[in-house]
Amino acid sequence: MGSRTDVVKPLTALLSQAFVAFAIECDNAFEERVPHRTTLEGDTADEHLPWLTSIGMWALYLRHIDDDGTTTREFARRAGLSKEAVRNVLVRAIRWWGYLDIVPPRDEPSSEKASWVLRASMGGRAALSAWRTLAEEIECRWKGRFGSSEITALRAALERAGDRLRAFAPYLPVGGYGMRVGADRSAPFDTPSPLYALLARLLVAAAESVENDLTLSMAIGDNVVRAIAREELPIRDLLAETGVSQRAIASSITFLAAKKLIAQTRRGRSPAIALNDSGVEAWSAFERRRDAVENDWRERVGVSEIAKLRGLLEYIIDSCDGVVSLLGTGLIPPSNGWRAASEYRRQTEAFVTNPGRNLPQFPVIAHRGAWPDGS
């Protein structure tokens, strides 16, 4: 199995691991307290309960739904979505996941769909209510775990950096082709923004700088390609080496193969992949562009400001109480949660034991529910 060398992490990797950890902790708390359904229940799942998704669904879309309903036109405006994107989101939120209902206005039952009203479904009301307070609750947990002054300082450092970079995205958008972040047009949170939004807007700003005209996205480059940059790896080892889901790994390999950046080989009986010459060139270009981001931020935000931000993130990611990771304690799922299920247990235990080594180095936000590791 390949091993990670002890090198200084890019600032984007530190931001990513803090972001992913915060999102997972929110998701674990949501799963524990809000009635929902998943594949774990099989045929016994209550079809009236909403499907379990990540807090990204709230941050990107569902926070724009008012208690008394929001028209589809207003929802599209607030979320910064095109007509096609609205259709895709609503198919998932209404038909697939069951968080919303859509009804015509009472006084105009035959009006155009843009005037129809989106409301939380019976099962979705508890979900939206929980999501409204979860981020603040998890931030309070972090203050108790890492120190109130440290988390307050982190928030301030993220706010200053985001303001100077003119970044405002509330969450990483669902990845497009090649897991690219792309431009984000959704409205920011009101002040004070959730801590995950402050982390996310810097990650989006970094991705917009790196991904422009490059083949590799940050989600593929800093996870799968990073893992195979120095040596061929069996595909089965990529789960441990990247921290992203099997689905995300499969999608990454499909993309890399289509772009002719990898050689697919075998190590013994196991399928393996390695970068070919074109892949090595693409990785070198990606590394240069990604590393230039931190240098650019030092100029635009300030050398001392970026050093302070880096130090706070390293403290949070690496802090231990004896041999127990403080960040990892928040990643322990409910005993009946999906991350505790047998097929996910090994990766969950890796996150809990050593999040600085095992969490993804860039979030993978897939359309299946905005889970931060592409699950």
Side-chain angles (χ1 to χ4, degrees), residues 63-130:
R63 69 187 175 95
H64 301 296
I65 304 300
D66 297 329
D67 288 339
D68 57 352
T70 303
T71 65
T72 56
R73 180 186 291 110
E74 179 62 11
F75 170 76
R77 186 192 69 78
R78 293 181 188 177
L81 298 173
S82 66
K83 287 184 178 180
E84 181 180 1
V86 168
R87 283 194 296 271
N88 290 336
V89 168
L90 294 184
V91 164
R92 297 181 182 116
I94 298 171
R95 196 176 303 165
W96 294 7
W97 299 329
Y99 286 99
L100 300 178
D101 294 324
I102 184 168
V103 296
R106 292 179 180 176
D107 53 345
E108 298 179 71
S110 62
S111 63
E112 61 175 354
K113 284 293 180 71
S115 299
W116 284 36
V117 178
L118 298 166
R119 295 195 181 98
S121 65
M122 183 181 301
R125 289 177 203 138
L128 269 61
S129 177

Side-chain angles (χ1 to χ4, degrees), residues 160-168 202 205 296-297 300-301 306:
R160 287 192 296 270
D163 289 345
R164 291 177 189 178
L165 295 171
R166 298 181 180 179
F168 64 87
L202 293 185
D296 176 59
W297 288 6
R300 297 169 62 188
V301 179
I306 294 301

Side-chain angles (χ1 to χ4, degrees), residues 17-81:
Q17 292 185 325
F19 171 88
V20 172
F22 195 95
I24 289 176
E25 194 162 346
C26 285
D27 292 343
N28 285 344
F30 180 90
E31 184 175 15
E32 193 167 31
R33 71 187 58 172
V34 177
H36 60 271
R37 56 191 168 92
T38 69
T39 54
L40 296 176
E41 291 85 31
D43 294 339
T44 65
D46 185 343
E47 63 181 12
H48 299 293
L49 294 178
W51 192 258
L52 184 65
T53 60
S54 178
I55 196 168
M57 287 295 106
W58 160 258
L60 291 168
Y61 310 124
L62 297 178
R63 69 187 175 95
H64 301 296
I65 304 300
D66 297 329
D67 288 339
D68 57 352
T70 303
T71 65
T72 56
R73 180 186 291 110
E74 179 62 11
F75 170 76
R77 186 192 69 78
R78 293 181 188 177
L81 298 173

